[in-house]
Amino acid sequence: MGDVKRVLFVNSEIFPYLPETTISGIGRNLPQGIQERGREIRSFMPRYGCVNERKNQLHEVIRLSGMNIIVNEMDRPLVIKVASISAARMQVYFIDNEDYFHRKQTYRDAEGKFFEDNGERAVFFARGVLETVKKLRWAPDIIHCQGWISHILPLYLKKVYKDDPIFAGSKIVLSLYDEAFGEKFDPDLEEKILFGNLCKEDAGIGNAPDGMQLAQLAVRYSDGVILGSDNIPAEITGLCKEKGLPVLPFDAGQLEDGSYIEEYNRFYDNL
């Protein structure tokens, strides 16, 4: 690609809004590192109910809120909030909706059970991010998706938004982690994903979708894949090879010392 100026980060987790993990740490440090290398960035995550709005000084962006997104035949309001990580001179946008994101847990209930509507939440999140970026009139060169809740976005970008001038030049980078491959989603998720000109064959996840199929869906519509864990299933890495996608292998040492940022930055340029 060569001349990457703008990178959009679509994160499942960002520290300090959620506890520090591999994914939330990358969600926090990678955008800052890319910005420090001279690129413009925007960063998004869901506004889970456990995110303390007062402590983190979240506030609603009225000019971006007010849209409605239909999921499962229900019209649901999209609320956009924003907060600043002052040490990084970086803003984070939050996708919010009372039905999907006000519960106190992220993906599982108090008993550890994966929420039944997690698939719908992923649909709302993906569409919410893309519609908000359109409203911002900010055309990203790279859209970097991290975490299973971002896995429907590549399909939408390549099939529904591909002719939108905001996204016409956007390439998708997908970071994959060992986080939800075995989780089961709503049997009707494929139907709930559909809107615009999409048909079931575009999604292709059938009536027993799980985290593996969602990851494979994301791979099929991505332009490059980063392995964020060292135990990504062979079904996934095999699909990357079959599609001829550029793949950045997992490197624990680079994650530990922070040098992965330079590698990711170079990966963007080489797409």
mmCIF file with all atom_site columns, all heavy atoms in Angstrom, residues 2 20 81 126 196 204 246-247 270:
data_model
loop_
_atom_site.group_PDB
_atom_site.id
_atom_site.type_symbol
_atom_site.label_atom_id
_atom_site.label_alt_id
_atom_site.label_comp_id
_atom_site.label_asym_id
_atom_site.label_entity_id
_atom_site.label_seq_id
_atom_site.pdbx_PDB_ins_code
_atom_site.Cartn_x
_atom_site.Cartn_y
_atom_site.Cartn_z
_atom_site.occupancy
_atom_site.B_iso_or_equiv
_atom_site.pdbx_formal_charge
_atom_site.auth_seq_id
_atom_site.auth_comp_id
_atom_site.auth_asym_id
_atom_site.auth_atom_id
_atom_site.pdbx_PDB_model_num
ATOM 1  N N   . GLY A 1 2   ? 1.876   1.250   0.886  1.00 0.00 ? 2   GLY A N   1
ATOM 2  C CA  . GLY A 1 2   ? 2.918   2.254   0.791  1.00 0.00 ? 2   GLY A CA  1
ATOM 3  C C   . GLY A 1 2   ? 2.672   3.580   1.455  1.00 0.00 ? 2   GLY A C   1
ATOM 4  O O   . GLY A 1 2   ? 3.502   4.047   2.208  1.00 0.00 ? 2   GLY A O   1
ATOM 5  N N   . GLU A 1 20  ? -6.139  -4.960  32.261 1.00 0.00 ? 20  GLU A N   1
ATOM 6  C CA  . GLU A 1 20  ? -5.062  -5.163  31.291 1.00 0.00 ? 20  GLU A CA  1
ATOM 7  C C   . GLU A 1 20  ? -4.934  -6.642  30.916 1.00 0.00 ? 20  GLU A C   1
ATOM 8  O O   . GLU A 1 20  ? -4.773  -7.512  31.771 1.00 0.00 ? 20  GLU A O   1
ATOM 9  C CB  . GLU A 1 20  ? -3.730  -4.647  31.838 1.00 0.00 ? 20  GLU A CB  1
ATOM 10 C CG  . GLU A 1 20  ? -2.651  -4.611  30.774 1.00 0.00 ? 20  GLU A CG  1
ATOM 11 C CD  . GLU A 1 20  ? -1.500  -3.681  31.122 1.00 0.00 ? 20  GLU A CD  1
ATOM 12 O OE1 . GLU A 1 20  ? -1.396  -3.251  32.281 1.00 0.00 ? 20  GLU A OE1 1
ATOM 13 O OE2 . GLU A 1 20  ? -0.707  -3.384  30.213 1.00 0.00 ? 20  GLU A OE2 1
ATOM 14 N N   . LYS A 1 81  ? -20.038 7.840   22.474 1.00 0.00 ? 81  LYS A N   1
ATOM 15 C CA  . LYS A 1 81  ? -19.381 8.555   23.561 1.00 0.00 ? 81  LYS A CA  1
ATOM 16 C C   . LYS A 1 81  ? -17.888 8.632   23.264 1.00 0.00 ? 81  LYS A C   1
ATOM 17 O O   . LYS A 1 81  ? -17.376 7.883   22.434 1.00 0.00 ? 81  LYS A O   1
ATOM 18 C CB  . LYS A 1 81  ? -19.668 7.872   24.900 1.00 0.00 ? 81  LYS A CB  1
ATOM 19 C CG  . LYS A 1 81  ? -21.157 7.953   25.256 1.00 0.00 ? 81  LYS A CG  1
ATOM 20 C CD  . LYS A 1 81  ? -21.527 7.226   26.509 1.00 0.00 ? 81  LYS A CD  1
ATOM 21 C CE  . LYS A 1 81  ? -23.034 7.408   26.769 1.00 0.00 ? 81  LYS A CE  1
ATOM 22 N NZ  . LYS A 1 81  ? -23.502 6.578   27.892 1.00 0.00 ? 81  LYS A NZ  1
ATOM 23 N N   . ALA A 1 126 ? -20.273 -3.487  14.764 1.00 0.00 ? 126 ALA A N   1
ATOM 24 C CA  . ALA A 1 126 ? -19.650 -3.306  13.447 1.00 0.00 ? 126 ALA A CA  1
ATOM 25 C C   . ALA A 1 126 ? -20.352 -2.214  12.647 1.00 0.00 ? 126 ALA A C   1
ATOM 26 O O   . ALA A 1 126 ? -19.704 -1.321  12.075 1.00 0.00 ? 126 ALA A O   1
ATOM 27 C CB  . ALA A 1 126 ? -19.680 -4.625  12.676 1.00 0.00 ? 126 ALA A CB  1
ATOM 28 N N   . GLY A 1 196 ? -28.881 -4.515  3.642  1.00 0.00 ? 196 GLY A N   1
ATOM 29 C CA  . GLY A 1 196 ? -28.390 -3.996  2.368  1.00 0.00 ? 196 GLY A CA  1
ATOM 30 C C   . GLY A 1 196 ? -28.470 -5.072  1.296  1.00 0.00 ? 196 GLY A C   1
ATOM 31 O O   . GLY A 1 196 ? -29.479 -5.760  1.156  1.00 0.00 ? 196 GLY A O   1
ATOM 32 N N   . GLY A 1 204 ? -22.263 -17.069 5.112  1.00 0.00 ? 204 GLY A N   1
ATOM 33 C CA  . GLY A 1 204 ? -21.826 -18.462 5.027  1.00 0.00 ? 204 GLY A CA  1
ATOM 34 C C   . GLY A 1 204 ? -21.487 -19.113 6.350  1.00 0.00 ? 204 GLY A C   1
ATOM 35 O O   . GLY A 1 204 ? -20.597 -19.956 6.421  1.00 0.00 ? 204 GLY A O   1
ATOM 36 N N   . PRO A 1 246 ? -1.314  -12.051 3.220  1.00 0.00 ? 246 PRO A N   1
ATOM 37 C CA  . PRO A 1 246 ? -0.121  -11.788 4.020  1.00 0.00 ? 246 PRO A CA  1
ATOM 38 C C   . PRO A 1 246 ? -0.428  -12.072 5.489  1.00 0.00 ? 246 PRO A C   1
ATOM 39 O O   . PRO A 1 246 ? -1.487  -11.665 5.984  1.00 0.00 ? 246 PRO A O   1
ATOM 40 C CB  . PRO A 1 246 ? 0.147   -10.289 3.804  1.00 0.00 ? 246 PRO A CB  1
ATOM 41 C CG  . PRO A 1 246 ? -0.691  -9.897  2.638  1.00 0.00 ? 246 PRO A CG  1
ATOM 42 C CD  . PRO A 1 246 ? -1.839  -10.841 2.572  1.00 0.00 ? 246 PRO A CD  1
ATOM 43 N N   . VAL A 1 247 ? 0.452   -12.792 6.162  1.00 0.00 ? 247 VAL A N   1
ATOM 44 C CA  . VAL A 1 247 ? 0.250   -13.140 7.571  1.00 0.00 ? 247 VAL A CA  1
ATOM 45 C C   . VAL A 1 247 ? 1.491   -12.744 8.361  1.00 0.00 ? 247 VAL A C   1
ATOM 46 O O   . VAL A 1 247 ? 2.614   -13.096 7.995  1.00 0.00 ? 247 VAL A O   1
ATOM 47 C CB  . VAL A 1 247 ? -0.027  -14.651 7.743  1.00 0.00 ? 247 VAL A CB  1
ATOM 48 C CG1 . VAL A 1 247 ? -0.088  -15.021 9.224  1.00 0.00 ? 247 VAL A CG1 1
ATOM 49 C CG2 . VAL A 1 247 ? -1.314  -15.051 7.037  1.00 0.00 ? 247 VAL A CG2 1
ATOM 50 N N   . ASN A 1 270 ? 2.931   -2.655  3.702  1.00 0.00 ? 270 ASN A N   1
ATOM 51 C CA  . ASN A 1 270 ? 3.192   -3.697  2.722  1.00 0.00 ? 270 ASN A CA  1
ATOM 52 C C   . ASN A 1 270 ? 1.934   -4.326  2.136  1.00 0.00 ? 270 ASN A C   1
ATOM 53 O O   . ASN A 1 270 ? 2.027   -5.207  1.273  1.00 0.00 ? 270 ASN A O   1
ATOM 54 C CB  . ASN A 1 270 ? 4.080   -4.794  3.331  1.00 0.00 ? 270 ASN A CB  1
ATOM 55 C CG  . ASN A 1 270 ? 5.500   -4.298  3.580  1.00 0.00 ? 270 ASN A CG  1
ATOM 56 O OD1 . ASN A 1 270 ? 5.968   -3.374  2.904  1.00 0.00 ? 270 ASN A OD1 1
ATOM 57 N ND2 . ASN A 1 270 ? 6.190   -4.896  4.531  1.00 0.00 ? 270 ASN A ND2 1
#
